[in-house]
Amino acid sequence: MGDLGSYIRHIELLGYEKRFFPSQHYVYMFLVKWQDLTEKVVYRKFTEIYEFHKALKEMFPIESGDINVENRIIPHMPAPRWFDSQRSTENRQNTLTEYCSTLINLPRKISRCGHVLDFFKVRPDDLNPPTLSHIKKPEAFLMPQDSRKIAADITGPIILQTYRALADYEKNSKTEMSVKTDDLVDVVEKSESGWWFCQQKNKRGWVPAAYLEPMDGPDETEEQEPNYAGELYVVRKGYTAAQDDEITLKEGETIEVIHKLLDGWWVVRKDEITGYYPSMYLQKAGEENPTGNVQLRNKSAPPRRSSIRNSKSIHNQSRKQISQETYRRNSMKYVQNLRNKPGFSLYFAVEADEPKAQPAIPPRPSKDLILIHCSESTKSKIK
C-alpha cells in the first residue's frame, strides 16, 4: 500500500533527454505533481517504464485483462525495441502522455498503490544525474505545450538555455528554487505566468522570470509587440493593484490583453483603463480551465521586472519601456475603431520617437466674429 494520504495529482511528460554518459541513451522527463502541491521532475528510461508496467499488470490481473479481456482498464504499453533510436523515443511520447493520464485516473487501489507512488518518487539520480565534466552536455527535447500536436511537431533538438540571475531570490515555497546573484541556471520550461522552471546542478524549481536574463543578450526580442486591438481574456482570480500602473480586477470580469510581457505582468484594458495585471490569473476567453495551471494559480504573482535593480544587467540596454499613458493613447477604443476605418492611415505614438507638441495655430476669425467687437464706425468700414 502507498503512504497514507500520499498520492499523485498529475503527471506531465515534459519531453526527453539525450544523454552521453556512461553511453548514449535516452530518458523521459516527467513533472510529477503530488497531493501537497509539490512538483518534482523525475527521469526514467523506457525500459524502466515497461518493467513498471509489467509489474503493475501482475499486481492487478483482473484490471489488466488477464482473466477477462473485457475487464481491462490498465492501459496498453508497447514493448521496448532491441535498440532505442531517437525517432522511436520521440514517437512514444504521445503514448506515454496518454498512459500517464489514464493511470492517474484509475481506481485508487491502483493509482495510489505503493508500486505507482514509489516509481514516481524522486531518486538520487534525479537530483544529481551521473555525468562527467568532459562528456557532452545532455540535450533536451521538449514536448509542445499543446499536447494535441503530434510527435512530429516537437521543437527539438534543444539544448536548454542558460540564464544568469540578476539578484538574490529566496524561495517562498517547496516548488520554488532560490538563486544568488550571477548564478547560472538552465531553463526547462518558460511559462507565460512569469514563473520559469529551472535546474541548477542538483536543484530544480520555479524561479521568477524577472530575476533571469540570458547570457548572450537581452531577451526582449522574445516579447510580442503590443496588440492594441486587444485579445479577450477572463479573470480567473481577482487582484488588487499595489502600484499606480497596475489595475484592480475581480474574478469573472472580461478584459482585453494588449501586451504580453515575459515577466508575467501583462498590460490589459478594461473599458478606457489600462494597467499591468498578473497573467497567471487570466484565462483566454472560450478556453477550458487548464488543469496544468492549477499549481501556478495557487502561487502568488511573480515580481515585476521593473522592480529588480541591477546596474550590470543587460536589460538596462534594452528598449525603452512603454508608459501607461502611451498604452492609453494608442488604445482609446482602439483609436476610435481605426477612425471608422476606410482608407484611414493610423499612426501609433512610439514614446522614444514622439515629436514634441507644436503650439496650436488659432483659427482665423470670421468677419462676423470681428464685427461683434468693433465700434459702429469700424463696422461700416469693414462692410
Side-chain angles (χ1 to χ4, degrees), residues 12-18 27-30 41 43 86 90 93 139-146 149-161 186-190 197 199:
E12 180 180 350
L13 178 64
L14 299 177
Y16 64 92
E17 271 191 2
K18 182 179 182 180
V27 293
Y28 291 99
M29 300 182 290
F30 295 95
V41 176
Y43 300 82
Q86 183 163 330
E90 182 178 290
Q93 291 184 108
E139 296 175 2
F141 297 74
L142 304 182
M143 284 280 283
Q145 289 190 348
D146 185 350
K149 291 183 179 179
I150 59 174
D153 293 330
I154 291 170
T155 57
I158 301 171
I159 296 179
L160 298 182
Q161 288 180 283
D186 292 327
V187 177
V188 176
E189 178 187 350
K190 292 182 179 180
F197 196 80
Q199 63 182 24

Side-chain angles (χ1 to χ4, degrees), residues 28-80:
Y28 291 99
M29 300 182 290
F30 295 95
L31 181 63
V32 183
K33 303 184 181 183
W34 294 83
Q35 91 290 344
D36 60 358
L37 301 183
T38 57
E39 296 179 334
K40 305 293 182 182
V41 176
V42 299
Y43 300 82
R44 300 291 182 264
K45 296 179 183 178
F46 185 70
T47 50
E48 293 179 284
I49 299 171
Y50 187 71
E51 290 301 318
F52 157 80
H53 170 71
K54 286 202 306 180
L56 187 68
K57 287 177 61 181
E58 291 174 2
M59 292 174 63
F60 301 98
I62 295 176
E63 290 81 1
S64 66
D66 287 349
I67 298 173
N68 186 340
V69 70
E70 294 181 357
N71 294 328
R72 177 161 192 163
I73 57 174
I74 292 177
H76 292 271
M77 176 71 67

Side-chain angles (χ1 to χ4, degrees), residues 9 13 34 49 62 78 88 108 122 131 155 176 188 201 235 252 254 270 340 342 358 370:
R9 288 177 175 268
L13 178 64
W34 294 83
I49 299 171
I62 295 176
S88 63
R108 293 188 177 190
V122 176
T131 186
T155 57
E176 297 176 19
V188 176
K201 295 181 180 178
V235 178
T254 299
K270 175 66 176 176
N340 302 324
Q358 299 296 322
I370 296 174

Side-chain angles (χ1 to χ4, degrees), residues 26 50 226 251 374:
Y26 300 90
Y50 187 71
E251 184 175 351
C374 291

Side-chain angles (χ1 to χ4, degrees), residues 59-334:
M59 292 174 63
F60 301 98
I62 295 176
E63 290 81 1
S64 66
D66 287 349
I67 298 173
N68 186 340
V69 70
E70 294 181 357
N71 294 328
R72 177 161 192 163
I73 57 174
I74 292 177
H76 292 271
M77 176 71 67
R81 300 185 179 185
W82 179 257
F83 173 76
D84 266 345
S85 66
Q86 183 163 330
R87 179 173 293 276
S88 63
T89 302
E90 182 178 290
N91 289 342
R92 287 195 201 102
Q93 291 184 108
N94 282 347
T95 299
L96 287 175
T97 297
E98 293 174 6
Y99 182 89
C100 291
S101 176
T102 304
L103 177 66
I104 294 306
N105 287 289
L106 290 176
R108 293 188 177 190
K109 67 176 184 178
I110 303 175
S111 62
R112 301 188 183 186
C113 72
H115 181 61
V116 172
L117 301 184
D118 290 341
F119 182 74
F120 287 102
K121 281 182 179 177
V122 176
R123 304 171 181 171
D125 284 354
D126 295 324
L127 297 173
N128 190 18
T131 186
L132 289 177
S133 59
H134 66 276
I135 298 295
K136 187 178 177 182
K137 185 177 180 180
E139 296 175 2
F141 297 74
L142 304 182
M143 284 280 283
Q145 289 190 348
D146 185 350
S147 60
R148 292 170 295 182
K149 291 183 179 179
I150 59 174
D153 293 330
I154 291 170
T155 57
I158 301 171
I159 296 179
L160 298 182
Q161 288 180 283
T162 300
Y163 278 68
R164 181 179 76 90
L166 296 175
D168 292 355
Y169 176 75
E170 191 63 35
K171 67 178 183 180
N172 294 309
S173 71
K174 294 180 180 180
T175 63
E176 297 176 19
M177 184 174 80
S178 299
V179 292
K180 298 292 184 183
T181 305
D182 293 330
D183 274 358
L184 300 183
V185 300
D186 292 327
V187 177
V188 176
E189 178 187 350
K190 292 182 179 180
S191 170
E192 286 186 332
S193 67
W195 290 98
W196 290 0
F197 196 80
C198 303
Q199 63 182 24
Q200 181 193 36
K201 295 181 180 178
N202 63 340
K203 296 193 301 180
R204 293 182 181 86
W206 297 97
V207 178
Y211 278 78
L212 303 173
E213 66 179 0
M215 298 299 296
D216 51 358
D219 59 353
E220 272 73 10
T221 53
E222 297 180 32
E223 292 180 345
Q224 302 177 23
E225 292 297 319
N227 172 20
Y228 292 104
E231 191 176 356
L232 289 179
Y233 275 74
V234 177
V235 178
R236 296 170 54 215
K237 184 176 180 180
Y239 171 79
T240 302
Q243 303 292 333
D244 292 340
D245 56 359
E246 296 172 4
I247 186 171
T248 298
L249 295 172
K250 296 180 181 178
E251 184 175 351
E253 290 191 89
T254 299
I255 51 85
E256 295 169 303
V257 172
I258 59 178
H259 201 180
K260 298 179 179 180
L261 302 174
L262 285 176
D263 65 359
W265 285 82
W266 291 356
V267 181
V268 306
R269 178 173 62 215
K270 175 66 176 176
D271 299 325
E272 298 297 335
I273 302 173
T274 66
Y276 291 102
Y277 197 82
S279 65
M280 62 191 295
Y281 298 158
L282 300 174
Q283 177 181 324
K284 195 168 185 178
E287 287 190 353
E288 294 183 3
N289 189 18
T291 55
N293 288 341
V294 172
Q295 168 67 13
L296 288 174
R297 186 185 178 191
N298 291 330
K299 291 178 66 66
S300 59
R304 288 173 54 184
R305 177 161 286 170
S306 58
S307 68
I308 311 301
R309 308 297 181 192
N310 187 326
S311 60
K312 296 180 181 179
S313 170
I314 55 181
H315 288 296
N316 294 334
Q317 307 162 19
S318 63
R319 70 187 183 200
K320 186 174 181 180
Q321 187 177 10
I322 301 174
S323 72
Q324 282 301 312
E325 181 56 32
T326 303
Y327 282 125
R328 290 188 189 99
R329 281 203 309 271
N330 290 342
S331 297
M332 294 298 284
K333 287 291 184 185
Y334 188 44

